[in-house]
Amino acid sequence: MPDRDWSIPHNLQPAIGDYAFDLDHVLRAVVGLRANVPPDAFTAGALGTERSGSGVVIRPGLVLTIGYLITEAETVWLIDADGRALPGHALAYDQTTGFGLVQALGRLDLPALELGDSDALIIGASAILAAAGGRAHAIETKVVGRQEFAGYWEYLLDEAIFTAPAHPFWSGAPLIGQDGKLLGTGSLILQQGDGKRRHDMNMVVPVSILRPVLDDLLTLGRVNAPPRPWLGLFVMENEGGLVVGGLADNGPAEKAGIRPGDRVVALGDEEISDLGALWRRLWSSGQPGTPVRLRLQRDDSEVVVRVQSADRASFLRTPRMH
C-alpha cells in the first residue's frame, strides 16, 4: 500500500451526496495489502520482493486482490482503514483471470462488498476506483472502454474494463458501481498519446469472470481445470509485428534458444499477426509439455525453434492450504 500522506484531488473524489448507498461504509471494505516474497522466488526478479496495493473484503475474512501482488508471497499483511495490521494468508492465485485471494488470519471486522453485474457495465458509466484509505484515496471515474486485452506475459482477457481518469495506485483497487457493489479489480495503468498529450487509463479485471472459479479457488487454491501450456515469453506488439521483449529466467523459451529481439512470425503452421491470436493459438496446442514450433524472424533470416512448453505453476511457490 502506498504512503497514506497523499490524496486524490478533492474535485476527483466521490462525493457522499452523489450515491444512494453509505459511501464511507462501503469504502471501509477496502484494505491495504503488503506482501513479502523470498529473493529466490521465480517472480522476485520481475515483480520484486516487496509488493503493496489494495484489496477488498468480499466475504467475512476473505479479501479479493490482483494476483501478482501475492504470487509466491511468504508473508501478507492486511491494513484496515484505521491503520490496524492483520496477518493474512495467500490463499489462491488464478493465472487465467489474474485474481488473487487472501484469507485474514484473525478477525477482520469490516463490511464485505457484494459481487455486482460487471457484464451490464456500459461505456460512459460512472464508478469509483478505490485504494485503501477512504474517500481521500478514491477516484470517481468513468468506463471508457470494454474490449479485449492481451498482456505481454501470456495473459488474455476477452473483455477487460478500461476507466479514466486513472487512479495512481491501482493495484488491487476495487471498482465499485453506482449500487455500491463490486465490479472489478484494478490491474494496470495504460498510457495513450501522440507525444504531445498523454491520456492515462486503468485496466480493470471484471468480476464476472471470478464467479465461475471462486469456489474452486476457495477449496483447492486453484481452478479445477487443465493448466495451459506456457513458454516464458514476454512479447510486445509494434508496427513490425510481434517482438520478443524478454524471457523468463530458465523458462522454456530461454532454454530453447529464443532471443530478445526475435520477431514471432508463426506458431505451428499458423501465421500470427497480433498478441491475442498468439496466446489463443498457444493454449489450443495441447497440454503443458507439448512441443511448440515457433517460426521467428531473426536479423535477416527466418529460424524455426521448438519449445517444450510447461505448466507455469510448476515454477512457482504454491500457497499452503490452511
Side-chain angles (χ1 to χ4, degrees):
M1 184 178 65
D3 193 290
R4 297 175 69 89
D5 294 333
W6 62 274
S7 63
I8 296 292
H10 189 76
N11 65 309
L12 297 179
Q13 295 176 21
I16 290 179
D18 293 343
Y19 299 92
F21 57 87
D22 186 335
L23 179 61
D24 287 337
H25 178 77
V26 164
L27 292 180
R28 283 189 62 81
V30 187
V31 297
L33 187 151
R34 295 184 187 273
N36 293 97
V37 175
D40 61 346
F42 185 71
T43 59
L47 298 175
T49 58
E50 297 182 0
R51 305 173 193 171
S52 62
S54 300
V56 62
V57 181
I58 59 170
R59 293 184 184 180
L62 182 67
V63 172
L64 176 70
T65 187
I66 198 68
Y68 58 73
L69 292 177
I70 61 168
T71 302
E72 301 187 284
E74 196 168 58
T75 60
V76 178
W77 288 92
L78 302 171
I79 303 95
D80 68 16
D82 299 320
R84 184 176 68 107
L86 190 72
H89 167 64
L91 184 66
Y93 169 34
D94 178 31
Q95 300 279 355
T96 299
T97 62
F99 285 119
L101 293 174
V102 176
Q103 181 68 53
L105 299 179
R107 183 176 176 81
L108 192 62
D109 190 18
L110 297 174
L113 290 198
E114 183 181 345
L115 302 188
D117 185 5
S118 59
D119 287 338
L121 197 58
I122 62 172
I123 294 176
S126 295
I128 299 167
L129 196 61
R135 274 183 288 145
H137 291 180
I139 192 168
E140 191 169 66
T141 189
K142 288 186 181 296
V143 177
V144 295
R146 297 290 310 266
Q147 64 190 61
E148 177 182 291
F149 173 79
Y152 64 85
W153 61 96
E154 300 186 41
Y155 177 72
L156 180 67
L157 294 176
D158 290 335
E159 191 177 48
I161 300 169
F162 298 88
T163 62
H167 199 298
F169 299 107
W170 62 89
S171 296
L175 185 70
I176 301 167
Q178 290 288 315
D179 55 2
K181 296 180 181 179
L182 179 64
L183 297 174
T185 296
S187 177
L188 296 171
I189 190 167
L190 304 172
Q191 298 174 347
Q192 290 185 337
D194 55 9
K196 297 180 181 178
R197 296 187 63 186
R198 192 185 80 179
H199 301 282
D200 294 347
M201 67 182 74
N202 292 126
M203 190 278 278
V204 177
V205 183
V207 78
S208 60
I209 62 174
L210 174 68
R211 294 179 185 275
V213 301
L214 181 55
D215 287 344
D216 282 353
L217 295 179
L218 289 172
T219 56
L220 302 174
R222 58 177 177 81
V223 175
N224 188 20
R228 291 169 165 175
W230 174 75
L231 301 181
L233 281 175
F234 302 135
V235 181
M236 288 74 168
E237 289 183 339
N238 66 17
E239 294 179 358
L242 301 177
V243 180
V244 177
L247 304 161
D249 290 342
N250 297 313
E254 184 182 73
K255 292 178 180 178
I258 294 177
R259 305 173 188 173
D262 287 345
R263 295 184 179 274
V264 179
V265 178
L267 193 156
D269 296 325
E270 183 179 333
E271 293 197 355
I272 303 294
S273 59
D274 66 85
L275 203 51
L278 175 62
W279 303 144
R280 288 190 176 96
R281 180 68 183 87
L282 169 62
W283 297 331
S284 67
S285 65
Q287 299 294 320
T290 301
V292 175
R293 181 166 54 88
L294 287 173
R295 181 153 50 95
L296 308 171
Q297 182 76 30
R298 180 176 295 166
D299 299 326
D300 295 327
S301 61
E302 280 196 355
V303 296
V304 175
V305 178
R306 288 175 62 85
V307 185
Q308 192 79 18
S309 65
D311 177 2
R312 175 162 31 193
S314 68
F315 287 75
L316 306 176
R317 295 170 180 259
T318 56
R320 296 185 302 273
M321 299 302 293
H322 280 231

